[in-house]
Amino acid sequence: MTTVRTFIVEDNPTIRKSLVGTLREVARVDPVGEAESEEEGSRWLSDNLSQWDLAIVDLFLKDGTGFRVLEACRHRDPSQKMVVLSNYATPDMRRKCVHLGADAVFDKATEIDDLIDYCLRHRQAQFSSPAAH
């Protein structure tokens, strides 16, 4: 496998579709699923721990919040990364997300390139580690 299996929790279908296309093409991630609610995202990520490497989570969802999705995955494998992509990436929100287990937080409006770089670095680290061979 040479891609990062990525699950996206985002309630806006337009953003979700754009994100999937951009990440697949530019960051070479493999979208393995998506959810638009807290319950759906938390359940899939928790029930399929061996099926994903990276989760990208929005904070404010149609039903629920990304905070609870982060909490639901606190006991994941250390190699599995969770990042937040939100319009509300204030310093306080960033601290709260990290406290709840996020590995990184990105602003939707200004940090998409940073998210892509993060995905590329995660991919490189994943496939250059001894466990990947």
Side-chain angles (χ1 to χ4, degrees), residues 7-102:
F7 190 83
I8 298 171
V9 184
E10 165 65 59
D11 63 339
N12 183 314
T14 304
I15 293 173
R16 207 170 47 238
K17 183 178 179 183
S18 174
L19 192 58
V20 164
T22 299
L23 292 176
R24 180 182 281 138
E25 187 172 317
V26 180
R28 292 185 280 169
V29 304
D30 179 22
V32 294
E34 49 191 59
E36 60 181 11
S37 72
E38 169 191 311
E39 193 273 330
E40 184 183 10
S42 297
R43 186 180 63 238
W44 192 92
L45 289 165
S46 298
D47 290 350
N48 297 283
L49 282 173
S50 66
Q51 303 300 310
W52 61 276
D53 306 305
L54 173 68
I56 300 172
V57 180
D58 186 14
L59 289 180
F60 299 103
L61 303 167
K62 183 188 291 184
D63 293 312
T65 70
F67 299 121
R68 297 261 169 109
V69 178
L70 291 172
E71 287 179 316
C73 297
R74 284 195 88 139
H75 301 291
R76 66 190 181 274
D77 187 275
S79 68
Q80 292 175 297
K81 302 300 179 189
M82 293 194 75
V83 300
V84 171
L85 181 64
S86 176
N87 285 320
Y88 304 96
T90 65
D92 285 343
M93 288 291 192
R94 289 175 190 268
R95 278 191 293 278
K96 182 174 182 175
C97 291
V98 169
H99 177 73
L100 292 173

